[in-house]
């Protein structure tokens, strides 16, 4: 992660970070409020010598006092000093508990000892400090060297008596709150960064460009109501429909040296919305008065026929085995200039069928008869049917589900296309969070476009937009039929396909792996 990604992770989860900061500050306040106040009282003792009258003797005595003051400081927590103090105070506790209340220290290069006592009762803290100070003076006199008159040569004098404390030394409420805020801030930043590192789902176009190094050709917002997935047909004035029209414009300028005529729409895995992207792309392209063909090349789990509510038993496989022509198999649907070719009955080996010379010839025929052809194909990581198909097209559109597709899956999907030298035009970010309403959308007509009138020799499929089905569940096992009629037709087309397979040159089979 670079600096921009760190800042982006913090920005995306700033609410959580602020919440943890507030929780940390609140916990610090609670801890400070529940902690028993502790008071401290301190007294200071001056250590001196009383031997010698000359300057030299006095200087030697001061040096001696500095040398022994550290030893006297260490004498304070011993029983010889604390036991008499406990007796004077009638302290009923143990010696270790009494010693825990006492601290003694001597500033550097001084002959002063500071004795402090801490206790929840401020008066008791004062009494303990005074008692220990007096006991230390007696202990010093008892162990100090004596002169010829039997007097101690080292004495202690109280220069600052213990006073009654009025302010507790702990807890420090302000400090505790600041510590809680700091802990909350660290916890929030750690959470945001770890979430960004561990959650590998795609959320922005920058993620796609960084992982796959392909451009973003479209950002499709998630519908506010999700009543109908075919936004261009059901709600032509919606933000989703405008996003698909923008995708069409981007495709036209994706490669100025090689105009786009045939594209395949796929995705890394299931439930990325590739089929709805393919249908809406075909609808938006047909609005430009071009002859558009939408082909369901997902021969494992076809869904175009169910989305469009058209006949699905006659389609791509029917044309490939010679039971029908392309002109007879396509169905007019949706808007003027749009034909749909369903998948037909499912073959026993879709990969071999899509790798055949017959399929390559059919794609060439589609190029001649239509201005733009859109293929809906299987997910790249499920099976390899898309790979031979992608090589026959002008470009591949990889549908990436916002907050669903992982970086690992996207990388593997793009690498599989690059492994067979399939052209990749870009990615389409699907199910993006809806942007704020654009007031200009109100000026776009909301009525669905009128279906064209065609010649009686061709089938016309009328879309039933108000009763459009919910998006098909893509959780069924790969290869399972979607209708009883398809299962009934599969046996008949299997025998025809077996006879046709002997006519397919072996060198026309693609390099995809089953």
């Amino acid at each position: 992660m670079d600096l921009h990604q760190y800042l982006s992770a913090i920005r995306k989860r700033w609410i959580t970070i602020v919440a943890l900061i507030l929780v940390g500050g609140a916990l610090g306040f609670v801890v400070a409020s529940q902690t028993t106040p502790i008071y401290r009282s301190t007294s200071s003792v001056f250590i001196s010598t009383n031997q010698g009258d000359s300057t030299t003797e006095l200087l030697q005595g001061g040096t001696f006092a500095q040398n022994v003051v550290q030893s006297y400081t260490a004498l304070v927590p011993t029983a010889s000093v604390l036991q008499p103090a406990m007796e004077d105070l009638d302290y009923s506790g143990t010696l270790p508990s009494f010693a825990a209340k006492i601290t003694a220290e001597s500033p550097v290069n001084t002959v002063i000892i500071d004795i402090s006592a801490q206790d929840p009762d401020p008066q008791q803290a004062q009494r303990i400090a005074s008692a220990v100070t007096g006991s230390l003076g007696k202990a010093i006199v008892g162990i100090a060297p004596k002169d010829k008159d039997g007097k101690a040569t080292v004495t202690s004098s109280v220069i600052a008596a213990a006073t009654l404390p009025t302010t507790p030394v702990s807890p420090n409420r302000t400090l505790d709150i600041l510590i809680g805020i700091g802990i909350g801030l660290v916890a929030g930043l750690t959470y945001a960064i770890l979430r960004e590192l561990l959650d590998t789902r795609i959320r922005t176009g920058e993620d796609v460009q960084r992982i796959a190094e392909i451009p973003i050709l479209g950002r499709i917002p998630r519908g506010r109501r999700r009543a109908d997935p075919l936004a261009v047909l059901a709600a032509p004035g919606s933000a989703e429909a405008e996003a698909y029209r923008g995708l069409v414009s981007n495709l036209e300028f994706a490669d100025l040296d090689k105009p786009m005529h045939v594209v395949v729409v796929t995705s890394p895995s299931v439930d990325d919305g590739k089929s709805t992207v393919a249908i809406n792309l075909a609808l938006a392209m047909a609005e430009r008065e071009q002859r558009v063909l939408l082909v369901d090349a997902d021969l494992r789990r076809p869904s175009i026929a169910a989305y469009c509510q058209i006949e699905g038993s006659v389609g791509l496989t029917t044309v490939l085995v010679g039971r029908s022509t392309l002109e007879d198999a396509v169905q007019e649907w949706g808007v003027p200039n749009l034909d749909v070719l369903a998948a037909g009955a499912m073959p026993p080996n879709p990969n071999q069928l899509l790798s055949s010379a017959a399929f390559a010839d059919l794609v060439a025929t589609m190029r001649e008869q239509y201005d733009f052809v859109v293929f809906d194909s299987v997910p790249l990581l499920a099976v390899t049917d898309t790979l031979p198909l992608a090589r026959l097209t002008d470009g591949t559109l990889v549908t990436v589900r916002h907050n669903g597709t992982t970086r690992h899956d996207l990388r593997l999907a793009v690498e599989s296309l690059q492994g067979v030298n399939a052209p990749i035009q870009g990615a389409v970010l699907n199910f993006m969070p809806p942007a704020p309403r654009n007031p200009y959308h109100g000026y776009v007509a909301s009525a669905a476009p009128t279906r064209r009138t065609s010649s009686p020799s061709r089938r016309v499929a009328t879309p039933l937009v108000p009763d459009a089905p919910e998006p098909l569940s893509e959780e069924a096992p790969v290869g399972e039929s979607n209708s009883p009629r398809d299962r009934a037709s599969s046996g008949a087309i299997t025998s025809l396909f077996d006879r046709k397979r002997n006519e397919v040159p072996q060198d026309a089979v693609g390099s995809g792996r089953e």
Side-chain angles (χ1 to χ4, degrees), residues 6 9-24 180-196:
Y6 283 113
I10 294 173
R11 183 175 62 253
K12 287 189 294 186
R13 297 177 176 86
W14 69 269
I15 296 179
T16 302
I17 296 175
V18 172
L20 289 175
I21 290 176
L22 295 178
V23 170
I181 291 175
I183 294 175
L185 176 61
V186 173
L189 295 177
T190 303
Y191 167 79
I193 294 173
L194 287 179
R195 181 71 180 272
E196 187 71 15

Side-chain angles (χ1 to χ4, degrees), residues 1 7-8 35-36 65 109 159 169 191 239 247 311 347 377 471 503 505 510:
M1 294 178 62
L7 296 177
S8 177
T35 303
T36 302
N109 297 325
I159 59 175
V169 294
Y191 167 79
L247 173 60
E311 179 64 37
S377 187
E503 303 173 5

Side-chain angles (χ1 to χ4, degrees), residues 203-221:
R203 286 188 171 85
T204 63
E206 290 75 12
D207 292 339
V208 176
Q209 293 173 341
R210 184 175 64 255
I211 298 300
E213 298 182 353
I214 56 178
I216 303 298
L217 297 182
R219 291 176 171 84
I220 311 302

Side-chain angles (χ1 to χ4, degrees), residues 90-124:
D90 292 331
Y91 185 78
S92 58
T94 62
L95 180 63
S97 64
F98 187 76
K101 299 175 180 289
I102 307 300
T103 58
E105 58 183 12
S106 176
V108 180
N109 297 325
T110 67
V111 290
I112 298 175
I113 300 176
D114 294 326
I115 300 174
S116 300
Q118 294 183 349
D119 195 86
D121 184 357
Q123 295 180 350
Q124 181 70 358

Side-chain angles (χ1 to χ4, degrees), residues 396-416:
T396 304
L397 290 180
V398 181
T399 304
V400 179
R401 186 185 182 100
H402 172 267
N403 204 25
T405 304
T406 64
R407 301 170 190 171
H408 178 262
D409 288 349
L410 177 60
R411 183 183 296 108
L412 291 180
V414 173
E415 289 177 353
S416 65

Side-chain angles (χ1 to χ4, degrees), residues 43-46 133-134 156-162:
S43 64
S44 299
V45 177
F46 183 84
T133 300
S156 63
S157 303
V158 178
I159 59 175

